[in-house]
Amino acid sequence: MLIGIDWGGTKIEGVALTPSGAELARHRVDTPRGDYAACLADIVAMIARLEADTGQRGSVGIGIPGSLEPVSRLGKGASSTWLLGQPVEADLRAAIGREIRVENDADCFAASEAVDGAGAGHNVVFAVILGSGAGAGIAVGGRAHHGPNNSGGEWGHNPLPFPDTTEIPGAPCYCGRHGCLETWVSGRAFEAEWTKHTGRALKAREIIALKRQGDRLAGMLWERYIDRVARGLATVVNTLDPDVLVMGGGMSNVDELYTDLPPALARRTFSTVFHTPVKRNVHGDASGVRGAAWLWK
């Protein structure tokens, strides 16, 4: 049995799978935000519950909202800032009492979709997460790609390409810089644009609903959002030229993303042609937890 844990910023989810991918059990709890020790305790309890439900002991893979520094193995680059500088891997191994494998949650998402999701059959998969933050994972041959700095796919912390004067320097990011892509193309950034223009807070799905009803401002903000996503992904296509772009996170549920983004990308890439498929993920928000389980496949 393979157990996957998705330690997210808003929820901790666990799944137990057979080696062939059949789901045996699944559970989810809210993340105790800001409380590192409570997160560890919830993960231990999640594993115990999955094994009690199935009557089996499983391997454990864990996806975290950040990555591990390759030498010290301390948490880095985490939007859940309470992981930063923590000996995440060692603490998890001690708390769980067995060998584990820990990877970035976006890498788990990429591997899941590459194995049997929207990226199946493609060699190089660039999997984008447009949710409360913005990030990405790269899978090559069905396995997550990292590199010597364990920073492969850190797309969300590059600057927005080709900014106009209204986009400089950009909003401050939790990483300490200004104008990171995450501050422009995340779901929260899309909502913040609406609030900035109206003084009212709405969820992204509510703004999209207004756009579909013909609201002019909502339509303009969507067009601007698509252009910013296209600018960010054009640099990926120009550099990596992946075989497929797989979209995840809450904004990936907007149907118009798949009709509006490809032509916008075609206008921004260096090549005179753009044939890269832009696909919605297959496994939804379960992809990360499945990918964590696949760390032992």
Side-chain angles (χ1 to χ4, degrees), residues 110-172:
S112 173
E113 291 295 328
V115 169
D116 62 353
H122 296 279
N123 185 45
V124 180
V125 176
F126 193 81
V128 182
I129 297 177
L130 301 174
S132 57
I138 304 168
V140 179
R143 291 184 176 274
H145 168 75
H146 304 295
N149 304 301
N150 211 10
S151 294
E154 287 289 2
W155 173 72
H157 293 283
N158 288 292
L160 177 70
F162 312 112
D164 63 33
T165 55
T166 68
E167 295 168 330
I168 299 172

Side-chain angles (χ1 to χ4, degrees), residues 143-216:
R143 291 184 176 274
H145 168 75
H146 304 295
N149 304 301
N150 211 10
S151 294
E154 287 289 2
W155 173 72
H157 293 283
N158 288 292
L160 177 70
F162 312 112
D164 63 33
T165 55
T166 68
E167 295 168 330
I168 299 172
C173 182
Y174 75 85
C175 73
R177 300 179 177 90
H178 281 74
C180 289
L181 273 168
E182 179 161 313
T183 68
W184 295 111
V185 302
S186 66
R188 286 180 178 171
F190 180 62
E191 293 167 353
E193 285 284 292
W194 174 267
T195 302
K196 183 175 73 173
H197 285 83
T198 66
R200 295 182 292 117
L202 288 180
K203 295 294 186 183
R205 63 178 179 274
E206 297 172 310
I207 303 169
I208 295 299
L210 288 174
K211 178 189 81 71
R212 292 169 179 166
Q213 295 165 16
D215 184 275
R216 184 169 178 269

Side-chain angles (χ1 to χ4, degrees), residues 6-12 31-33 65 79-80 82 105 132 188:
D6 182 11
W7 180 357
T10 57
K11 51 92 175 171
I12 296 173
T31 299
R33 293 182 59 80
S79 54
S80 297
W82 54 96
D105 54 0
S132 57
R188 286 180 178 171

